[in-house]
Every structure is written in C-alpha cells, then in structure tokens.
Amino acid sequence: MSLDVINRHSEALFEFLWCPVCGHEVFSHIPFEGVFCKDCNTQVELQESHEDRGYEEAVLACFDTDTTWNLHVDEKLRRDLPDGSARVKVFGAPGAYEVDWWSPEPGEDWEPIERGEFDDAKEPDDVPHLA
C-alpha cells in the first residue's frame, strides 16, 4: 500500500500573498504553530474553497491579528483588520493568481494594505519593538 502526497498549497501561493496589516510579502512557518508574517507576526491560515469556478486552485487565506505585535505603535505603518481578522479568496494557478474577494469587503471603514505600500517608510527610532 502506498500513500499519495497531495501538495494543496504551493510555495507559489505564498509568493503571491502579502500581509494586509503591513504590506510585507515574507511569511515564516513555525512547525505545529502556523504561518506568520515575518514583519508584524500576523497569522495566516489557508483553507480550500468550496467552489473553484474551474480554476486550478481556489484558496481562502484567513489573516488574524491576535499575534500581531506593535499594531498600536504606528498606524501609518500598519492597519488593523476589522474585528481582528479578514479573509481573501484567491483563484488561479502558480504564476497567475488573482484576488476574487475580501471579507469583510473593503470600504470606508477598512482597506487592506497593498503589497509593499510601506516599503519606503521607516519606523521612528523611539518605537519599541516589543509590545
């Protein structure tokens, strides 16, 4: 008897994703703990979508700010998620992913940080790096 290993969430998906709290694109995997934004520690969990509309992959990326550090320090460099969490549905295939929707829907009260939006900004020297 042999087991088939199915890789449902490829590295290419994490190369496409970015953190909606700080805009950074690098994530760290801590075994048995989860996947976190390397810059602000926002947790991301991937789930398969119930419908894929014929795309190779359809994934829900769920972001949670329970573990995020220094969210309150400088709102110009980080943006809190409504009620501490947000989800994005991603369709496509490696090299051709696209965002289908955000939940909650971006609007007047909330807008996710765009990829690299704060790359040129620097935190003030007096900002403590541990909350």
Side-chain angles (χ1 to χ4, degrees):
M1 176 183 211
S2 67
L3 294 175
D4 290 333
V5 177
I6 300 172
N7 183 10
R8 296 192 172 162
H9 305 294
S10 65
E11 291 288 323
L13 181 61
F14 275 102
E15 289 175 9
F16 169 78
L17 286 177
W18 71 97
C19 178
V21 172
C22 68
H24 284 84
E25 306 170 34
V26 180
F27 295 91
S28 297
H29 174 248
I30 301 172
F32 308 110
E33 293 293 327
V35 178
F36 302 87
C37 172
K38 199 162 189 167
D39 185 63
C40 72
N41 209 46
T42 296
Q43 186 171 14
V44 60
E45 181 181 291
L46 300 178
Q47 301 172 352
E48 288 188 47
S49 175
H50 293 290
E51 59 95 15
D52 61 13
R53 293 190 214 158
Y55 287 91
E56 184 176 319
E57 289 186 58
V59 177
L60 291 176
C62 306
F63 295 91
D64 189 327
T65 58
D66 282 346
T67 58
T68 302
W69 52 59
N70 283 342
L71 189 60
H72 63 283
V73 171
D74 191 346
E75 292 178 1
K76 294 177 185 147
L77 298 179
R78 293 180 180 85
R79 189 168 299 145
D80 197 5
L81 303 176
D83 297 324
S85 65
R87 298 183 312 161
V88 63
K89 185 169 187 179
V90 177
F91 278 141
Y97 289 111
E98 61 186 65
V99 170
D100 185 40
W101 52 255
W102 282 94
S103 175
E105 189 172 329
E108 287 180 22
D109 298 331
W110 176 75
E111 191 74 32
I113 300 289
E114 291 300 319
R115 180 188 320 267
E117 185 174 327
F118 296 138
D119 283 354
D120 296 337
K122 291 191 175 192
E123 288 184 356
D125 291 335
D126 61 344
V127 172
H129 287 282
L130 294 175

